[in-house]
Amino acid sequence: MFEKMGCAGEVKLVKGGSEEDFDKYGISIMVRFRAEEQLQQLTRHTQSGGERSLATAIYLMALQRLTTVPFRCVDEINQGMDRINERKMLQLLVKVTTEIDNSQYFLLTPKLLTNLEYNPKIMVHTVMNGKHIMPYDKWNYDKFISRARHYKA
């Protein structure tokens, strides 16, 4: 998954004590975001918030092929990412979550980049709230679709 993003990553099992001391087991996530860097352990002190979010998203996408569940829910995973990595991550998310019929995937976010590529298996629900938001019964769907098509071209 990291290679698809132009990065590198590795997950290692860390045994904190003896072989039978399972409560001390953990994982170490090693990442590299630039070609000239060495792999480094993912920590809150070494990488930026956006890099940590990106690494977490990629790790979760890699794990989903190993476990079948009815649905997955991720909240604001794209927060703190720069636009380039956010776009790459969301495009990879669309590809990975729709290539097999594994489970439903819910991404909750206060923002999405414009002009993202989707496919027929994706459904986007937009919730608009606030005192200055136009009531839904006043929406002009034809005008909305026309403008969306215009901006896509």
Side-chain angles (χ1 to χ4, degrees):
M1 291 288 175
F2 263 96
E3 285 178 16
K4 291 178 183 181
M5 296 288 296
C7 306
E10 192 176 284
V11 178
K12 296 179 181 181
L13 177 65
V14 178
K15 300 175 184 177
S18 70
E19 196 72 25
E20 291 81 31
D21 213 354
F22 299 117
D23 61 333
K24 294 199 172 120
Y25 276 31
I27 60 169
S28 173
I29 300 175
M30 306 295 286
V31 296
R32 183 185 77 217
F33 294 98
R34 289 157 211 77
E36 66 276 1
E37 294 178 349
Q38 296 293 315
L39 283 172
Q40 297 178 330
Q41 185 170 4
L42 183 66
T43 69
R44 63 186 171 127
H45 303 293
T46 308
Q47 291 82 19
S48 70
E51 289 172 335
R52 290 192 311 271
S53 292
L54 180 61
T56 302
I58 293 171
Y59 179 68
L60 291 173
M61 283 187 264
L63 283 179
Q64 84 176 24
R65 293 179 184 210
L66 303 174
T67 307
T68 302
V69 296
F71 67 90
R72 300 174 194 282
C73 186
V74 178
D75 185 22
E76 298 187 25
I77 195 70
N78 56 332
Q79 297 305 298
M81 285 186 202
D82 63 71
R83 289 180 177 266
I84 294 168
N85 282 328
E86 182 177 4
R87 185 169 302 281
K88 285 181 185 178
M89 186 275 302
L90 288 170
Q91 292 308 137
L92 183 60
L93 181 69
V94 166
K95 183 180 184 316
V96 168
T97 58
T98 60
E99 65 187 5
I100 56 172
D101 292 327
N102 189 351
S103 62
Q104 287 185 331
Y105 203 98
F106 297 91
L107 171 66
L108 307 172
T109 180
K111 68 175 179 81
L112 278 177
L113 295 174
T114 57
N115 300 321
L116 290 171
E117 294 179 27
Y118 300 104
N119 68 41
K121 292 184 175 183
I122 300 289
M123 182 175 294
V124 176
H125 293 279
T126 304
V127 177
M128 302 176 109
N129 193 4
K131 66 181 184 177
H132 300 291
I133 301 297
M134 180 188 301
Y136 73 91
D137 57 346
K138 305 275 190 227
W139 291 357
N140 182 333
Y141 293 103
D142 293 329
K143 185 176 178 181
F144 175 77
I145 291 170
S146 174
R147 288 177 75 192
R149 287 185 177 142
H150 172 75
Y151 286 116
K152 184 175 183 177

